[in-house]
Amino acid sequence: GGLQNFKNVKALSSKGTLTISTPNGEFPIAVEEIKAYPNQSKTTRSVMGRTMVDINNGTGGWATDPRTLTVVAKSEEDMVKEQNDWGRDLVLIFQTSDQPDYQAVYDGSGSVQGTSVEWVALVNKKGDAICRLGVNPQSNQLACKEYTGETPTGEGKIEEVYETFSDASGVKLPTASTRFLGGQKFGKLTLTEVLVNPPVPAGTFEKPQ
């Protein structure tokens, strides 16, 4: 959609389904998320009739403990992971591309799940890898994102392969992606609604009462 269109994104909300693949079958999880750039977010997941929240207000946050189903404060380690996740956010990557706090490095050609890509690696100022973006050399369209992280089924190299893009207020965003851990499919995210700059209700990023 162009740099200015990305810079105009102050908030983003989405609704959809994350389908987790396990040896016992597939399990759909209803997901709703709202983000206020550059660093606030709230994700609500509905799992087997239970509601789980994950909130980041920019300096701290809270999440539902899956064992007790109570909302507890995030640890320092949790917040470091949160910062890493924000560093890989596609909107934020493109918003800051003219004055980035990362370095973009060509990382050769390859393939992801049978699709040929040209890799661009993003590296932070410390020299640590943020993620790699795979670009389809035929269409010049973003094809995938690769990084090391955690999933509901384990930790390791994650590949998000983008299948469908939709226009939201002049910004093209992925609305369907299949996710792989160590080359094995573990889930698919399908978004049914994406809104750019929706109203953000007061208290969205505060601890739920």
Side-chain angles (χ1 to χ4, degrees), residues 84-106:
N84 291 338
D85 286 342
W86 274 103
R88 294 188 287 263
D89 183 88
L90 289 179
V91 171
L92 206 56
I93 287 172
F94 294 133
Q95 274 187 349
T96 60
S97 60
D98 58 339
Q99 294 181 318
D101 58 1
Y102 58 82
Q103 182 180 7
V105 182
Y106 176 67

Side-chain angles (χ1 to χ4, degrees), residues 120-132:
V120 177
L122 304 186
V123 181
N124 65 20
K125 292 182 178 180
K126 295 180 181 179
D128 300 325
I130 299 172
C131 65
R132 293 205 301 171

Side-chain angles (χ1 to χ4, degrees), residues 27-67:
F27 297 90
I29 299 172
V31 180
E32 294 187 24
E33 184 176 56
I34 185 164
K35 290 183 173 182
Y37 287 88
N39 59 3
Q40 294 181 303
S41 64
K42 179 179 181 180
T43 304
T44 304
R45 297 181 176 90
S46 298
V47 186
M48 300 177 66
R50 299 174 177 176
T51 300
M52 316 282 283
V53 299
D54 189 300
I55 300 171
N56 172 26
N57 66 8
T59 57
W62 304 268
T64 302
D65 186 320
R67 297 164 298 181

Side-chain angles (χ1 to χ4, degrees), residues 8-15 33-37 168-169 173 193-202 204-205:
N8 290 339
V9 178
K10 307 303 180 185
L12 194 69
S13 68
S14 61
K15 296 180 181 179
E33 184 176 56
I34 185 164
K35 290 183 173 182
Y37 287 88
S169 299
L173 297 170
E193 178 182 276
V194 179
L195 300 176
V196 171
N197 297 332
V200 180
T204 294
F205 308 114

Side-chain angles (χ1 to χ4, degrees), residues 115-117 134-136 141-145 160-163 165:
T115 299
S116 296
V117 296
V135 179
N136 186 316
Q141 182 166 278
L142 186 65
C144 59
K145 178 169 64 174
E160 296 181 9
V161 179
Y162 303 123
E163 300 163 356
F165 286 79

